[in-house]
């Protein structure tokens, strides 16, 4: 899913590469001519280097021990991938990005926070994708610099492009997020609170989206 959002380009940096699977895939498929696989920890980078050798992409994928964009030079890469982190952490890393044109972002939590950050800080959400792995579902964002439109609360949480395009897994994803909301509400002790009111509002918005499915 992440790789599907990366445009063909000369250079990509994969921030928080872990074992470099995405970086290797991009190199093997010729999507990127060069990939910098960066991570803040030495352990994952050591495994990444083994994988790079195993898949014979030594000349195309380079590892760097880097805290975010710290070891990436200004304008060195066209596209930045930041995946597998919370939305707040991704936003912190983006604050020091080094002149990339394209951004592929995959957040585990903080969906609303990240989308709101993008819109407020000069990014446009151009595309989004959703996938399922076992019982979990994930979304990713393709963004560029530009002036984005204000988002509704539902768009911040689910994704404006996903709501507009409604790809095959869209309604399954809405049900997945609705289940999360129901679980949170069941565990809330306060009968009345601003936080609970917000979750009830989101629940209502998700249910409205699911009614669209029922109505064809």
């Amino acid at each position: 899913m992440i790789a599907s959002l990366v445009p063909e380009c000369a250079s990509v940096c994969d921030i928080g590469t872990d074992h470099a699977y995405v970086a290797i895939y991009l190199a093997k498929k010729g999507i990127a001519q060069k990939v910098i696989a960066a991570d803040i920890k030495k352990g994952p980078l050591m495994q990444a280097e083994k994988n790079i050798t195993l898949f014979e992409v030594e000349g195309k994928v380079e590892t760097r021990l880097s805290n975010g964009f710290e070891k990436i030079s200004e304008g060195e890469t066209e596209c930045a991938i930041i995946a597998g982190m919370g939305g707040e952490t991704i936003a912190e890393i983006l604050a020091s990005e080094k002149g990339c044109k394209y951004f592929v972002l995959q957040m585990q939590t903080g969906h609303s926070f990240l989308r709101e950050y993008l819109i407020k800080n000069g990014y446009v959400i151009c595309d989004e994708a959703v996938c399922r792995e076992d019982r979990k579902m994930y979304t990713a964002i393709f963004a560029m610099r530009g002036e984005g439109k204000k988002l509704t609360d539902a768009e911040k949480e689910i994704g404006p492009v996903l709501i507009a395009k409604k790809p095959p897994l869209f309604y399954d994803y809405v049900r997945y997020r609705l289940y999360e909301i129901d679980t949170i509400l069941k565990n809330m002790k306060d009968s009345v609170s601003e936080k609970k009111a917000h979750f009830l509002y989101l629940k209502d918005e998700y249910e409205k989206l699911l009614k669209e499915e029922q109505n064809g």
Side-chain angles (χ1 to χ4, degrees):
M1 177 185 68
I2 293 166
S4 73
L5 292 173
V6 178
E8 288 190 13
C9 53
S11 54
V12 173
C13 58
D14 182 16
I15 305 296
T17 193
D18 199 17
H19 294 171
Y21 293 133
V22 173
I24 292 165
Y25 183 90
L26 295 174
K28 291 290 283 185
K29 295 294 183 179
I31 296 169
Q33 296 172 33
K34 176 186 176 182
V35 186
I36 298 169
D39 206 284
I40 195 171
K41 296 179 181 178
K42 290 182 180 179
L45 280 185
M46 290 174 65
Q47 185 59 52
E49 287 166 1
K50 291 178 182 177
N51 290 334
I52 289 164
T53 300
L54 177 66
F55 288 97
E56 301 178 339
V57 288
E58 296 96 321
K60 294 182 179 180
V61 182
E62 171 193 343
T63 61
R64 287 189 197 173
L65 186 65
S66 179
N67 182 1
F69 286 91
E70 181 184 23
K71 300 299 182 182
I72 309 295
S73 300
E74 186 72 29
E76 186 176 12
T77 57
E78 291 179 76
C79 178
I81 300 169
I82 312 174
M85 306 176 200
E88 293 87 349
T89 301
I90 292 173
E92 287 177 12
I93 294 170
L94 276 177
S96 59
E97 68 93 2
K98 300 287 185 70
C100 294
K101 291 171 60 179
Y102 314 113
F103 304 86
V104 177
L105 314 169
Q106 190 277 310
M107 57 286 184
Q108 305 287 65
T109 59
H111 304 77
S112 179
F113 182 94
L114 180 58
R115 289 191 177 97
E116 187 167 13
Y117 173 89
L118 292 173
I119 299 305
K120 286 184 176 179
N121 288 274
Y123 296 89
V124 178
I125 297 172
C126 303
D127 200 2
E128 294 175 305
V130 59
C131 73
R132 188 203 316 271
E133 183 182 45
D134 297 327
R135 294 184 178 181
K136 293 187 177 182
M137 297 191 76
Y138 304 90
T139 58
I141 295 168
F142 173 69
M144 295 176 65
R145 283 288 183 180
E147 188 174 342
K149 72 178 184 72
K150 188 177 179 179
L151 304 178
T152 66
D153 286 345
E155 287 175 329
K156 290 175 191 175
E157 287 285 351
I158 300 295
V161 180
L162 293 179
I163 290 174
K165 289 186 173 181
K166 295 181 176 58
L169 287 174
F170 174 72
Y171 290 111
D172 286 348
Y173 181 63
V174 175
R175 277 187 282 272
Y176 179 81
R177 296 300 304 276
L178 180 59
Y179 175 78
E180 290 181 335
I181 292 289
D182 283 336
T183 302
I184 292 168
L185 287 169
K186 284 176 185 176
N187 293 326
M188 273 190 162
K189 295 179 181 178
D190 295 338
S191 58
V192 179
S193 69
E194 187 177 337
K195 191 173 183 181
K196 186 170 185 177
H198 176 68
F199 283 122
L200 286 169
Y201 169 75
L202 286 177
K203 176 181 170 69
D204 184 59
E205 291 298 301
Y206 295 174
E207 288 173 344
K208 285 178 185 177
L209 288 170
L210 291 176
K211 282 180 183 177
E212 293 178 9
E213 180 187 28
Q214 294 170 4
N215 295 331

